[in-house]
Amino acid sequence: MKTTPAQRVYLLGAALCLALTICSHNFGDRGGPCFMASLTVAGIVYLLAILEFFATPIFPRRVVVIGLVLAAAWNIAFLRLPAGADDDIHRYVWDGRLQRLGYNPYIVVPSDPAAERLHTPETRTLNNPDLPSPYPAGAELFFRAVTAIQESTFALKVAFVVCEFAIVFVLLDVLRRTRQLSHLVLAFAWNPLLAVEVAGSGHIDIVGTVLLVVSAAALVRRWRATAAVALGLAIAVKFLPVVLLPLYWKRVRIRDAALAVAVVAVLYLPFLNHGRIPIGSLGTYVQTFRFNGPVFAALDRVAPPQLLAGLAVLVGLATATWMRRAKREMSLEQFAWPMAASLLCAPAVFPWYLLWLLPFLTSASTLLIIIWTVSIFPTYVMWHLRTLGHPWGALPVWVMLLEYGCVAIASAIIAFRRLARPAIMPLNDQNTAI
């Protein structure tokens, strides 16, 4: 019995929902056998769904609606779970609490005995307690706003999931205006990283991502001031999208850029320390944090980390410049590749960093990045190894070989098919002529 593309998508959606629901039941042992098995199945199903999305010219609207309902279901399954004891979200609660109590999160060190009385049960388990906050001002103000409503990790996770679904609605508008297929929104909504790292762990990256998508949507509508300010706010959440600046060349006016700089500067005013712009522990992050960064690790022995961090930014800027010159019309994939190139050269590549890329993976030209969002799953093994007493540090060799090997193999296959195509086409033309 032959099935239609819509029927196959329904089956894949049901399988994805089952796999991620099982994964949520094992969320307490991230990286453990059951968690990894169910997440691997979810990743494979997601890639099969991607093939359906890219191969089928159009789906009925009900496919998109049902697909989004399924995405909501597995997000709820993760949302109801507590975050890990030392997930970053506990730092978010701490930073928001500090601000409301009148303290500067860039100065106060959580492990300082003088700060003991400021802690709550949720903040006592935050990671890296000997360091002040590394997050930019936009992220800090978001923490303050949410914790002012309710001071808990759950409240922050709810806010992050709201941002995730806001991306869905903005992305639908962008797809419509760029004459792309609306069902491609499921390429974003169905990615398992969203369930694990937004609804599950809760990461601030999704807030910057929604701002970046708003900026892209504003560019499509030619709302230049809005595009510039939204980009500035995204950079004020985390610095990664700074590499996209070349994409805005001649798409926004000088006064729009000046407005964006002014808005970001205003965000930092509450945190100024003796007139200096605070960076918290950002310098320590560049100096000492290492995780899943193959390029940075290879060069770390021959160059200082500050130089290599600058190189990562330069690679992203160069990629964005090339894409801006190669394609005059704006497209979503132009946002994905510069950030992916920069992350590849970064000192640490945690799974949630790839959240920035997900809304822009709506064409076959981004297939390698899509594969990366799945092949990064083995890095969760580190969380399980830590519970077994292993120190946090370098990943097992097989993990990085599997992660980046999958991307390399896929890249080789795509390159071979492109090289083989010109050789085959003339033969087909000749046969047709005969």
Side-chain angles (χ1 to χ4, degrees), residues 84-385:
D86 62 349
D87 278 347
D88 291 345
I89 197 168
H90 297 280
R91 167 76 70 166
Y92 306 163
V93 175
W94 167 257
D95 285 2
R97 177 175 172 79
L98 278 183
Q99 293 174 69
R100 291 185 299 103
L101 293 176
Y103 296 93
N104 191 333
Y106 295 115
I107 298 175
V108 178
V109 176
S111 62
D112 188 337
E116 173 64 25
R117 61 186 177 83
L118 304 177
H119 279 285
T120 67
E122 282 195 317
T123 65
R124 293 186 193 282
T125 61
L126 59 77
N127 54 25
N128 302 302
D130 54 335
L131 297 174
S133 183
Y135 299 104
E140 293 293 345
L141 293 173
F142 184 86
F143 303 152
R144 178 170 185 166
V146 175
T147 56
I149 300 172
Q150 183 181 345
E151 190 180 283
S152 69
T153 56
F154 180 74
L156 280 162
K157 291 212 300 177
V158 169
F160 294 149
V161 171
V162 169
C163 289
E164 176 185 334
F165 280 92
I167 291 174
V168 168
F169 292 110
V170 178
L171 192 56
L172 281 170
D173 179 72
V174 174
L175 291 172
R176 179 174 62 85
R177 291 183 176 275
T178 56
R179 297 181 181 179
Q180 289 184 276
L181 305 172
S182 62
H183 69 261
L184 292 176
V185 73
L186 297 179
F188 164 77
W190 281 17
N191 193 294
L193 280 179
L194 288 171
V196 176
E197 298 299 349
V198 178
S201 296
H203 282 283
I204 187 62
D205 302 71
I206 198 67
V207 177
T209 305
V210 70
L211 290 166
L212 190 56
V213 173
V214 168
S215 181
L219 279 183
V220 172
R221 289 175 172 266
R222 301 188 186 277
W223 296 350
R224 293 173 288 186
T226 302
V229 171
L231 175 65
L233 292 174
I235 295 171
V237 172
K238 273 196 175 179
F239 296 125
L240 175 61
V242 73
V243 301
L244 300 175
L245 287 175
L247 296 181
Y248 290 76
W249 177 253
K250 293 186 177 180
R251 286 175 174 159
V252 300
R253 299 161 295 193
I254 297 297
R255 66 171 179 262
D256 301 325
L259 176 62
V261 171
V263 169
V264 173
V266 168
L267 297 182
Y268 273 94
L269 289 179
F271 307 104
L272 292 180
N273 182 27
H274 301 293
R276 295 180 179 178
I277 297 176
I279 62 171
S281 58
L282 184 61
T284 304
Y285 169 85
V286 174
Q287 286 279 0
T288 61
F289 278 54
R290 302 290 181 269
F291 182 81
N292 192 34
V295 176
F296 199 99
L299 299 177
D300 202 14
R301 301 176 183 177
V302 297
Q306 296 91 338
L307 179 62
L308 295 179
L311 176 64
V313 175
L314 185 61
V315 168
L317 289 170
T319 305
T321 301
W322 179 81
M323 299 205 75
R324 179 67 179 91
R325 296 183 63 181
K327 192 171 183 179
R328 297 182 63 86
E329 293 184 3
M330 199 209 78
S331 59
L332 290 175
E333 63 267 20
Q334 287 180 321
F335 286 74
W337 282 106
M339 292 190 292
S342 187
L343 283 174
L344 188 62
C345 302
V349 187
F350 293 104
W352 55 89
Y353 289 6
L354 302 193
L355 293 174
W356 289 90
L357 311 178
L358 299 186
F360 308 105
L361 308 180
T362 57
S363 74
S365 64
T366 60
L367 186 58
L368 290 180
I369 304 178
I370 293 172
I371 291 172
W372 189 19
T373 68
V374 172
S375 68
I376 200 171
F377 291 171
T379 61
Y380 286 114
V381 168
M382 178 56 71
W383 278 256
H384 180 67
L385 292 176

